[in-house]
Amino acid sequence: MSRPAQPKTTTPDHIGVSVIQSQTHAAAIAGVAPGGLQQVPQLVPANANPSAGAGGGKAAKMKKPSADKESDEYRQRRERNNLAVKKSRMRSKQKAMDTQQRVNELKEENERLEAKIKLLSKELSVLKDLFLEHAHNLADNVHAPAAAGGEGANPALNNNNNNNNNTSANGQ
Amino acid sequence: MSRPAQPKTTTPDHIGVSVIQSQTHAAAIAGVAPGGLQQVPQLVPANANPSAGAGGGKAAKMKKPSADKESDEYRQRRERNNLAVKKSRMRSKQKAMDTQQRVNELKEENERLEAKIKLLSKELSVLKDLFLEHAHNLADNVHAPAAAGGEGANPALNNNNNNNNNTSANGQ
DNA sequence: AATCATTGCGCAATAT
DNA sequence: AATATTGCGCAATGAT
């Protein structure tokens, strides 16, 4: 993962060298441009092939591009690479989609969690209110310990408590 | 967004026709293979150019590929497209990164939310325990309304409200 | 050394 | 007509 020194031909693009050759395998030449182009690929590598010098060239064989186009070797490698490329790109796309999917899932979960927080906050708020009410009750009773029996417990509950309602005041 | 009928040359790939040409603009030919290849790009289009027939071809000019390679028109279009392609791909990558970033953010937020839920749940739990305690106190006081000094201010809180205890029974 | 995986690039067909 | 996208193959390079 690092392109230290890419050619980076500013504007004048890289030369797209690449010949047609390899009629060897099949004949797919005429079916290249389904759109309407006539693309006459009548090119021959001019063969930079360094094997068994033809004219006066040295018979020195290249080291890297062992197979000057045409060669089966070359063709096979290209084909395999093309395959690998497709595979890699497919994965890449799949990954992107998965990531997007993940975002959606996380968003949903987030909503669920927020809803839950809202609920819990509300419950907490209610309970706190109750506490405060009772505290006041107590105070009242202390000062006037007379009214103590009200069928359930509802009677004396009142007081506008200034509860620390945190329903929306949540610190982070 | 639909590739109705792509060439789809099964195994024998598309012919990668594409010549070097256009030395016209600049000279970037020798700088193509920084890796070490010698790539002898000595190719000439063999010109399938359909303008002013050379051999016996008709002089009819194509409608679509208005500019058979070489033409300035063509070259300009190619260049613009190449630019557009780069731009598009850059965006695509950026988008992918953004999406990944979004995932990370959402994950973080999720953690925060879960922590908060945990906290609220705990608070709720504590409050509920207090309620129960007081309920018991009340019961005791009812039976033996003598012991009223409980070291704090807790004493009089009672009324066992049938709170919707959801500490751990949270629906989803 | 060989093979596969990634990545930038240009081309051409399409899509918008 | 112009730009934006997309599939594809090539070549360089990274990783095994």
Side-chain angles (χ1 to χ4, degrees):
Chain A
M1 290 284 206
S2 72
R3 262 58 210 338
Q6 253 203 287
K8 205 56 185 173
T9 53
T10 315
T11 313
D13 45 275
H14 303 214
I15 310 92
V17 191
S18 157
V19 193
I20 174 182
Q21 52 86 210
S22 82
Q23 208 163 13
T24 317
H25 301 229
I29 299 187
V32 189
L37 295 193
Q38 24 35 255
Q39 208 73 272
V40 186
Q42 206 48 251
L43 302 176
V44 178
N47 212 332
N49 191 329
S51 60
K58 298 185 285 294
K61 58 180 179 33
M62 301 289 192
K63 25 192 125 167
K64 275 298 193 55
S66 47
D68 49 83
K69 333 293 174 183
E70 242 123 342
S71 121
D72 253 18
E73 228 283 84
Y74 171 74
R75 226 36 234 159
Q76 277 177 37
R77 276 187 306 146
R78 281 307 324 137
E79 201 157 331
R80 273 204 303 270
N81 178 248
N82 289 342
L83 216 63
V85 167
K86 271 188 211 168
K87 191 174 164 187
S88 183
R89 284 172 178 159
M90 230 183 62
R91 280 179 176 173
S92 183
K93 265 167 210 164
Q94 188 58 53
K95 210 187 71 176
M97 289 177 68
D98 288 355
T99 305
Q100 184 57 58
Q101 179 63 34
R102 185 90 176 97
V103 166
N104 295 336
E105 292 172 357
L106 285 172
K107 266 162 127 180
E108 269 183 42
E109 179 154 7
N110 256 18
E111 279 176 32
R112 280 203 302 277
L113 294 180
E114 296 212 27
K116 183 164 180 177
I117 286 177
K118 198 167 176 181
L119 180 68
L120 289 178
S121 293
K122 182 130 187 188
E123 282 186 32
L124 212 46
S125 168
V126 170
L127 280 189
K128 284 183 186 172
D129 281 358
L130 276 180
F131 263 120
L132 289 183
E133 277 176 32
H134 288 301
H136 280 268
N137 264 6
L138 172 60
D140 288 352
N141 287 344
V142 167
H143 290 167
E151 81 61 47
N154 55 353
L157 288 176
N158 54 17
N159 96 35
N160 60 344
N161 50 42
N162 57 344
N163 57 23
N164 49 351
N165 182 324
N166 72 348
T167 296
S168 63
N170 39 32
Q172 192 251 127
Chain B
M1 290 282 203
S2 71
R3 265 52 214 338
Q6 252 203 288
K8 204 54 185 175
T9 53
T10 315
T11 313
D13 45 278
H14 305 215
I15 309 92
V17 191
S18 156
V19 192
I20 175 181
Q21 51 90 206
S22 80
Q23 209 163 8
T24 317
H25 301 231
I29 299 189
V32 189
L37 294 193
Q38 27 28 262
Q39 208 72 274
V40 187
Q42 205 49 252
L43 302 175
V44 179
N47 211 332
N49 191 329
S51 58
K58 299 183 285 290
K61 60 178 178 32
M62 300 289 192
K63 25 191 128 172
K64 274 297 192 60
S66 46
D68 49 83
K69 331 295 173 180
E70 243 122 345
S71 123
D72 253 18
E73 227 284 84
Y74 171 74
R75 224 36 228 149
Q76 277 178 40
R77 275 188 303 137
R78 282 306 324 139
E79 201 158 331
R80 274 204 303 271
N81 178 245
N82 288 342
L83 216 63
V85 167
K86 272 188 213 167
K87 190 172 164 188
S88 181
R89 283 171 179 159
M90 231 182 62
R91 279 177 174 173
S92 183
K93 264 167 213 164
Q94 188 57 53
K95 209 188 71 177
M97 289 178 67
D98 288 356
T99 305
Q100 184 57 57
Q101 179 64 32
R102 185 87 176 100
V103 166
N104 295 336
E105 292 173 359
L106 285 172
K107 267 162 122 180
E108 267 182 44
E109 179 154 8
N110 253 18
E111 279 175 33
R112 279 204 303 277
L113 294 179
E114 297 211 26
K116 182 161 182 179
I117 285 178
K118 199 168 175 180
L119 181 68
L120 289 178
S121 293
K122 183 126 183 189
E123 279 186 40
L124 213 45
S125 169
V126 170
L127 279 189
K128 275 186 278 187
D129 282 355
L130 275 181
F131 264 119
L132 288 182
E133 250 180 61
H134 290 303
H136 280 268
N137 270 2
L138 171 61
D140 289 352
N141 288 345
V142 166
H143 290 166
E151 69 82 25
N154 52 358
L157 288 176
N158 55 21
N159 126 2
N160 61 343
N161 51 38
N162 52 348
N163 59 19
N164 44 357
N165 180 326
N166 70 348
T167 296
S168 62
N170 39 29
Q172 186 273 113

